[in-house]
Amino acid sequence: MVKKKPSHPPHEEHADETWLVPYSDLLTLLLALFIVLFASSSLDKDKAAQIQYALAAAFGSGVTEDTEGNIINFMNDARDLNLEDEGVIISSDANGATLEMTSINLFDKGSVILKAEAIPVIKKISYLLNSNKYKKYRIVVEGHTDDTNESETLPSNWELSGARAGAVTREMISNSMDVNRFKAVGLAEISPAYPNKNPYGEPIPENRLKNRRVMIRIEF
């Protein structure tokens, strides 16, 4: 007796392919990350800041378009005052915009008294921060040192960095700025911008010089 062939072929079981969806999303994110890393190597600081805040917003850090716009606008306004020509580094990070000045432009070695030539620069910065566009934002003034004890009269870099941050803050307040906007902190050598020593433990003088700095941070 001849068996009849079934009218429909037997149903083939297919493996569950739902895992492909998150996998493809992961590949897309990795591709975007590599593109950003490649592109940012040749971008100016403004565009790099835009990428930084766009990525922060994408990953849910709470950064808004308004915050990003305020930071970019502030950096442009600071450049319009030619602050970079006077040794001020204009930049930004996850907490806001930053203005950085090396201590050699502000103080004599080991001193906490502002140089006379530093006063006009700080006055320029004060007027910008006290304009209607920016007068509602809080300001953190950070003092930083290298890993040596630069002062011969103060016991440690904590006192030196704190006193320098206080001196800059005091000068800004003297330009009719609201004292309640400020926080002055001394961070000694715990947050260097560059390595103070090479991998062999040898000092890097140019890096130590850059690490002696005061940063004015505007919290947008």
Side-chain angles (χ1 to χ4, degrees), residues 29-64:
L29 283 173
L30 287 173
L31 177 61
L33 177 61
F34 286 128
I35 291 173
V36 166
L37 291 174
F38 174 77
S40 62
S41 64
S42 59
L43 289 174
D44 60 36
K45 287 185 178 180
D46 286 353
K47 291 183 179 178
Q50 291 176 8
I51 289 174
Q52 176 186 3
Y53 289 103
L55 285 174
F59 286 96
S61 69
V63 177
T64 65

Side-chain angles (χ1 to χ4, degrees), residues 42-220:
S42 59
L43 289 174
D44 60 36
K45 287 185 178 180
D46 286 353
K47 291 183 179 178
Q50 291 176 8
I51 289 174
Q52 176 186 3
Y53 289 103
L55 285 174
F59 286 96
S61 69
V63 177
T64 65
E65 289 184 7
D66 287 343
T67 299
E68 177 188 346
N70 286 334
I71 291 172
I72 300 300
N73 287 337
F74 178 83
M75 293 170 67
N76 289 334
D77 288 343
R79 290 193 177 98
D80 289 342
L81 292 176
N82 299 316
L83 290 175
E84 289 175 314
D85 295 339
E86 302 187 69
V88 179
I89 300 172
I90 302 166
S91 189
S92 65
D93 57 24
N95 297 316
T98 59
L99 302 173
E100 179 181 322
M101 297 169 285
T102 59
S103 293
I104 195 171
N105 291 333
L106 298 173
F107 306 94
D108 289 327
K109 181 176 173 60
S111 174
V112 296
I113 300 172
L114 282 167
K115 291 181 177 181
E117 56 266 34
I119 304 299
V121 181
I122 296 175
K123 183 173 291 188
K124 222 184 245 192
I125 293 171
S126 301
Y127 287 162
L128 174 60
L129 289 171
N130 217 25
S131 64
N132 289 332
K133 289 172 68 175
Y134 306 115
K135 68 188 310 178
K136 67 180 181 180
Y137 298 110
R138 287 184 55 81
I139 301 163
V140 179
V141 182
E142 299 174 355
H144 298 265
T145 69
D146 61 16
D147 59 341
T148 65
N149 192 352
E150 184 184 345
S151 175
E152 296 179 356
T153 58
L154 296 173
S156 76
N157 285 332
W158 291 105
E159 287 83 3
L160 178 64
S161 59
R164 285 179 168 177
V168 172
T169 301
R170 189 166 57 250
E171 183 60 32
M172 294 178 74
I173 292 170
S174 74
N175 293 311
S176 302
M177 297 192 69
D178 182 1
V179 65
N180 295 306
R181 295 176 62 188
F182 286 91
K183 179 168 69 173
V185 294
L187 295 174
E189 67 268 22
I190 67 171
S191 185
Y194 305 92
N196 286 299
K197 296 179 180 178
N198 65 24
Y200 301 100
E202 300 165 336
I204 308 175
E206 59 271 25
N207 283 5
R208 281 179 166 172
L209 187 64
K210 294 175 184 177
N211 286 331
R212 300 173 192 164
R213 67 202 193 279
V214 172
M215 293 187 67
I216 301 172
R217 189 183 305 280
I218 302 89
E219 297 183 334
F220 288 102

Side-chain angles (χ1 to χ4, degrees), residues 14-20:
H14 294 280
D16 185 3
E17 297 177 350
T18 56
W19 61 272
L20 288 174

